[in-house]
Amino acid sequence: MTGQKALWTPSEDFKTKQPLTLFMQWCGDRLGRSFADYDDFHRWSVEDRAAFWSAVWDYCEVIGEKGGLALSDGDDMLKARFFPEARLNFAENLLAHAGEGDALIFRGENKVADRWSWSRLTATVSRLQQALSAMGIGEGDRVAAMMPNMPETVALMLAVTSLGAIWSSCSPDFGDQGVLDRFGQIEPKLFVACDGYWYNGKRQDVSDKIVAVAAKLDVPVLVVPYAGDTAALIERLPDGRSFEQFITDFSVKDIEYRRLPFSHPIYILFSSGTTGVPKCIVHSAGGTLLQHLKEHRFHCGLEAGERLFYFTTCGWMMWNWLVSGLACGATLCLYDGSPFYPDGNVLFDYAATEKFAIFGTSAKYIDAVRKGGLVPKSSHDLSSLRLMTSTGSPLSPEGFSFVYEGIKDDIQLASISGGTDIVSCFVLGNPLKPVWRGEIQGPGLGLAVEVWDDDGKPVRGEKGELICAKAFPSMPVMFWNDPDGAKYRAAYFERFDNTWCHGDFAEWTEHDGIVIHGRSDATLNPGGVRIGTAEIYNQVEKLDEVVEAICIGQDWDDDVRVILFVRLAPGLSLTEELDKKIKTQIRTGASPRHVPAKIIQVDDIPRTKSGKIVELAVREVVHGRPVKNREALANPEALALFADLPQLRS
């Protein structure tokens, strides 16, 4: 909006010291030119992707053999290959640092605390690598883990990828069918699980689930002690062993890193699976490493020794993003459990104690802190905190304002957006530009991000599809069990020829920032006008009476009408007065077209394990169609609240 004031503007001194500024200068010296500003640098990074990504490799001192060719078939998104002659090992790059300084700090609610030095991490990876190798795990084999976000999980991933094997993980709160829907597809050679976990102060027993999953997968099980009875669980498993038993016969020695092609797989991630069996998305060692180094070093300004935190489970791609911080020499601050136990201060207590430099979380968490009346700015010493990142869903303008009013006023706030599909971000923070209320700062370096209309034409100042017009390193290698690539092509390339269509409904702003209006497959079309669900949520979330909302389009009278479901604050009911207040807020804050035809109160809203509300699943239930994969949801029982509602029959 014209005339508004930026929430944060970097000082000239701040900009001068940024790794991004130093990298721009380094690239300019290498090329014999200078870059006027970030936008000029971004244009070059897209126009000459071979030179740009080669510069990222060299500047970040990637360990491996780069080869002579940085990009082949660069004009064809499906044939393009980055560094086709290169060889590297992902784990080798993450374990390049050594010594007794902190590599990992862990909190499991208020039940468990631990601290791992680089030496301890490297030693544990060494013993794990030997144990995995002894059981025959090697290049291309899969290891599947149902684990909390704890140090042993990081060590296991590093040991697996050091061998050229492939890591895949989910969180222990998945149901047994949800675990099997994922891991059953990839046929792992080893299943790793914890013996229990803590959530909201309570011990959660997972032994029955592990026994059931292990029986179906029919593979050895490695049990990591955390919150249960390891010995009792192992007795129930035909081929089970504890973490200590697994490595007891192996002493520490130098890790043997197997350097493999740039495109060699390291991760299998899964789509949310709310409309069918999850897609198995395979990511490469080189693409993941380079993209994360770029995002951490330049977009986040991450330096060796800084403390990096992201509130995430092992079932969300932000865990994979977090652990790559080791490649910068950062200390990872891990947390597992409820972010509101014993109260809403727990993560800010952690941030103050350990002096986080970067605090990563979700838009829903920021909104919950705001509505909970917490003011960390007044209650905690957050002097070390310089960057807060938010993802998972679009951060509302009120969320932006609250970060500065309630958390810290001299902080860079980076709303970021990308996804599991690219294990990274298309649009994210930029330490050289101001932060504007409600806006993501801009596109990532090396990414040809545009917004297109239905005819495939670039648009500015109006809503359209978020696309990437040129190939980039962190595109998936493939989908598992998709031999001819048909599922892969259908997922991203059917809408526009030779163009990645991400499925986000987006809009450029006058500041060259971007606003994500929601998933385009959940876009509402009343009267043929496209409306992003986030536009409605941004208005509803301003009201203290509304805790959470979900919006869908209901097929009605040869058109689509907008239906808004709201979960209200305790003790409130949806009166005519509140109904009118909500509609007035939406009408004045968005437009008359955004006003829902019906507002309906519900007791709960279904969400995925990573906290994303599931508009498509609710839409299916409202229309009487089956939801194909309820196991993907954290609270599948909530779907019943939307079935056969009398309010939707008229």
Side-chain angles (χ1 to χ4, degrees), residues 135-164:
M135 71 179 303
I137 290 174
E139 291 177 27
D141 291 329
R142 280 78 62 205
V143 173
M146 188 185 80
M147 285 288 292
N149 180 18
M150 60 192 294
E152 288 83 354
T153 314
V154 179
L156 279 156
M157 180 279 291
L158 292 167
V160 166
T161 55
S162 73
L163 291 165

Short mmCIF file of all heavy atoms in Angstrom, two decimals, residues 135-164:
data_model
loop_
_atom_site.label_atom_id
_atom_site.label_comp_id
_atom_site.label_asym_id
_atom_site.label_seq_id
_atom_site.Cartn_x
_atom_site.Cartn_y
_atom_site.Cartn_z
N MET A 135 25.92 -54.22 8.13
CA MET A 135 24.66 -54.90 7.84
C MET A 135 24.30 -54.83 6.36
O MET A 135 23.20 -55.21 5.95
CB MET A 135 23.52 -54.38 8.72
CG MET A 135 23.02 -53.00 8.41
SD MET A 135 21.64 -52.52 9.52
CE MET A 135 20.48 -53.84 9.22
N GLY A 136 25.25 -54.33 5.56
CA GLY A 136 25.07 -54.39 4.11
C GLY A 136 24.40 -53.19 3.48
O GLY A 136 23.99 -53.23 2.32
N ILE A 137 24.30 -52.09 4.21
CA ILE A 137 23.67 -50.90 3.65
C ILE A 137 24.70 -50.09 2.88
O ILE A 137 25.79 -49.79 3.39
CB ILE A 137 23.02 -50.05 4.76
CG1 ILE A 137 21.80 -50.78 5.31
CG2 ILE A 137 22.64 -48.66 4.25
CD1 ILE A 137 21.15 -50.12 6.49
N GLY A 138 24.34 -49.76 1.65
CA GLY A 138 25.27 -49.02 0.79
C GLY A 138 24.53 -48.14 -0.20
O GLY A 138 23.37 -47.76 0.03
N GLU A 139 25.18 -47.83 -1.30
CA GLU A 139 24.66 -46.88 -2.28
C GLU A 139 23.24 -47.23 -2.73
O GLU A 139 22.98 -48.36 -3.15
CB GLU A 139 25.57 -46.83 -3.50
CG GLU A 139 26.93 -46.20 -3.25
CD GLU A 139 27.81 -46.25 -4.48
OE1 GLU A 139 27.27 -46.27 -5.61
OE2 GLU A 139 29.04 -46.27 -4.32
N GLY A 140 22.36 -46.25 -2.60
CA GLY A 140 21.00 -46.41 -3.11
C GLY A 140 20.04 -47.12 -2.18
O GLY A 140 18.83 -47.11 -2.42
N ASP A 141 20.55 -47.75 -1.11
CA ASP A 141 19.65 -48.40 -0.16
C ASP A 141 18.90 -47.32 0.65
O ASP A 141 19.42 -46.24 0.87
CB ASP A 141 20.42 -49.30 0.80
CG ASP A 141 21.00 -50.53 0.12
OD1 ASP A 141 20.37 -51.01 -0.85
OD2 ASP A 141 22.08 -50.99 0.53
N ARG A 142 17.70 -47.66 1.09
CA ARG A 142 16.91 -46.71 1.86
C ARG A 142 16.92 -47.06 3.34
O ARG A 142 16.81 -48.23 3.70
CB ARG A 142 15.46 -46.67 1.37
CG ARG A 142 15.25 -45.84 0.12
CD ARG A 142 15.68 -46.55 -1.14
NE ARG A 142 14.91 -47.77 -1.36
CZ ARG A 142 15.36 -48.80 -2.07
NH1 ARG A 142 16.58 -48.79 -2.61
NH2 ARG A 142 14.60 -49.87 -2.25
N VAL A 143 17.03 -46.03 4.17
CA VAL A 143 16.85 -46.17 5.61
C VAL A 143 15.69 -45.25 5.99
O VAL A 143 15.71 -44.05 5.68
CB VAL A 143 18.12 -45.80 6.39
CG1 VAL A 143 17.85 -45.77 7.89
CG2 VAL A 143 19.25 -46.78 6.06
N ALA A 144 14.68 -45.82 6.64
CA ALA A 144 13.47 -45.07 6.99
C ALA A 144 13.42 -44.88 8.50
O ALA A 144 13.62 -45.83 9.26
CB ALA A 144 12.24 -45.82 6.51
N ALA A 145 13.15 -43.67 8.93
CA ALA A 145 13.19 -43.35 10.36
C ALA A 145 11.91 -42.67 10.81
O ALA A 145 11.46 -41.70 10.20
CB ALA A 145 14.38 -42.46 10.67
N MET A 146 11.33 -43.18 11.88
CA MET A 146 10.18 -42.54 12.54
C MET A 146 10.71 -42.00 13.87
O MET A 146 10.70 -42.67 14.89
CB MET A 146 9.08 -43.59 12.77
CG MET A 146 7.77 -43.00 13.28
SD MET A 146 6.55 -44.28 13.66
CE MET A 146 7.13 -44.81 15.28
N MET A 147 11.20 -40.76 13.81
CA MET A 147 12.00 -40.25 14.91
C MET A 147 11.63 -38.84 15.34
O MET A 147 11.16 -38.03 14.54
CB MET A 147 13.48 -40.25 14.49
CG MET A 147 14.12 -41.62 14.48
SD MET A 147 14.40 -42.25 16.15
CE MET A 147 15.67 -41.13 16.75
N PRO A 148 11.88 -38.50 16.62
CA PRO A 148 11.79 -37.11 17.06
C PRO A 148 12.96 -36.31 16.48
O PRO A 148 13.94 -36.87 15.97
CB PRO A 148 11.92 -37.22 18.58
CG PRO A 148 11.74 -38.66 18.92
CD PRO A 148 12.20 -39.42 17.73
N ASN A 149 12.87 -34.99 16.61
CA ASN A 149 13.94 -34.10 16.18
C ASN A 149 15.00 -34.04 17.27
O ASN A 149 15.06 -33.10 18.06
CB ASN A 149 13.35 -32.72 15.88
CG ASN A 149 14.40 -31.73 15.42
OD1 ASN A 149 15.49 -32.10 15.01
ND2 ASN A 149 14.06 -30.45 15.51
N MET A 150 15.87 -35.05 17.30
CA MET A 150 16.86 -35.18 18.37
C MET A 150 18.24 -35.46 17.76
O MET A 150 18.35 -35.79 16.57
CB MET A 150 16.43 -36.29 19.34
CG MET A 150 16.28 -37.66 18.71
SD MET A 150 15.43 -38.86 19.81
CE MET A 150 16.61 -39.03 21.16
N PRO A 151 19.31 -35.35 18.54
CA PRO A 151 20.66 -35.49 17.97
C PRO A 151 20.92 -36.81 17.27
O PRO A 151 21.59 -36.85 16.24
CB PRO A 151 21.57 -35.32 19.20
CG PRO A 151 20.79 -34.44 20.12
CD PRO A 151 19.36 -34.87 19.94
N GLU A 152 20.41 -37.90 17.84
CA GLU A 152 20.64 -39.21 17.21
C GLU A 152 20.08 -39.27 15.79
O GLU A 152 20.62 -39.95 14.92
CB GLU A 152 20.02 -40.32 18.07
CG GLU A 152 20.76 -40.61 19.37
CD GLU A 152 20.41 -39.67 20.51
OE1 GLU A 152 19.66 -38.70 20.29
OE2 GLU A 152 20.87 -39.93 21.64
N THR A 153 18.98 -38.54 15.56
CA THR A 153 18.39 -38.52 14.23
C THR A 153 19.34 -37.86 13.24
O THR A 153 19.52 -38.36 12.11
CB THR A 153 17.05 -37.76 14.25
OG1 THR A 153 16.27 -38.21 15.36
CG2 THR A 153 16.27 -38.00 12.97
N VAL A 154 19.94 -36.76 13.64
CA VAL A 154 20.90 -36.08 12.77
C VAL A 154 22.10 -36.97 12.48
O VAL A 154 22.55 -37.11 11.35
CB VAL A 154 21.35 -34.75 13.41
CG1 VAL A 154 22.38 -34.05 12.53
CG2 VAL A 154 20.16 -33.83 13.66
N ALA A 155 22.62 -37.62 13.53
CA ALA A 155 23.78 -38.50 13.36
C ALA A 155 23.47 -39.66 12.42
O ALA A 155 24.29 -40.03 11.57
CB ALA A 155 24.23 -39.03 14.73
N LEU A 156 22.29 -40.23 12.56
CA LEU A 156 21.89 -41.34 11.69
C LEU A 156 21.79 -40.89 10.23
O LEU A 156 22.26 -41.58 9.33
CB LEU A 156 20.57 -41.93 12.16
CG LEU A 156 20.68 -42.92 13.32
CD1 LEU A 156 19.37 -43.00 14.10
CD2 LEU A 156 21.07 -44.30 12.79
N MET A 157 21.18 -39.72 10.00
CA MET A 157 21.08 -39.23 8.63
C MET A 157 22.47 -39.05 8.02
O MET A 157 22.71 -39.41 6.86
CB MET A 157 20.31 -37.91 8.61
CG MET A 157 20.14 -37.29 7.22
SD MET A 157 21.58 -36.37 6.60
CE MET A 157 21.56 -34.95 7.70
N LEU A 158 23.39 -38.48 8.79
CA LEU A 158 24.74 -38.25 8.28
C LEU A 158 25.46 -39.57 7.98
O LEU A 158 26.17 -39.69 6.97
CB LEU A 158 25.54 -37.42 9.28
CG LEU A 158 25.06 -35.96 9.44
CD1 LEU A 158 25.70 -35.33 10.66
CD2 LEU A 158 25.38 -35.15 8.19
N ALA A 159 25.27 -40.56 8.84
CA ALA A 159 25.90 -41.86 8.60
C ALA A 159 25.33 -42.53 7.35
O ALA A 159 26.07 -43.10 6.54
CB ALA A 159 25.70 -42.76 9.82
N VAL A 160 24.02 -42.44 7.20
CA VAL A 160 23.37 -43.04 6.03
C VAL A 160 23.86 -42.38 4.75
O VAL A 160 24.25 -43.05 3.78
CB VAL A 160 21.83 -42.91 6.15
CG1 VAL A 160 21.14 -43.20 4.83
CG2 VAL A 160 21.31 -43.84 7.24
N THR A 161 23.86 -41.05 4.71
CA THR A 161 24.25 -40.36 3.47
C THR A 161 25.76 -40.42 3.23
O THR A 161 26.20 -40.30 2.08
CB THR A 161 23.78 -38.89 3.49
OG1 THR A 161 24.27 -38.22 4.66
CG2 THR A 161 22.26 -38.82 3.50
N SER A 162 26.55 -40.64 4.27
CA SER A 162 28.00 -40.80 4.06
C SER A 162 28.29 -42.03 3.20
O SER A 162 29.28 -42.08 2.48
CB SER A 162 28.73 -40.91 5.41
OG SER A 162 28.50 -42.17 6.02
N LEU A 163 27.40 -43.02 3.28
CA LEU A 163 27.55 -44.27 2.53
C LEU A 163 26.93 -44.21 1.13
O LEU A 163 27.04 -45.17 0.38
CB LEU A 163 26.90 -45.42 3.30
CG LEU A 163 27.58 -45.85 4.60
CD1 LEU A 163 26.64 -46.72 5.43
CD2 LEU A 163 28.88 -46.60 4.30
N GLY A 164 26.25 -43.11 0.83
CA GLY A 164 25.54 -43.04 -0.44
C GLY A 164 24.17 -43.67 -0.38
O GLY A 164 23.51 -43.86 -1.41
#
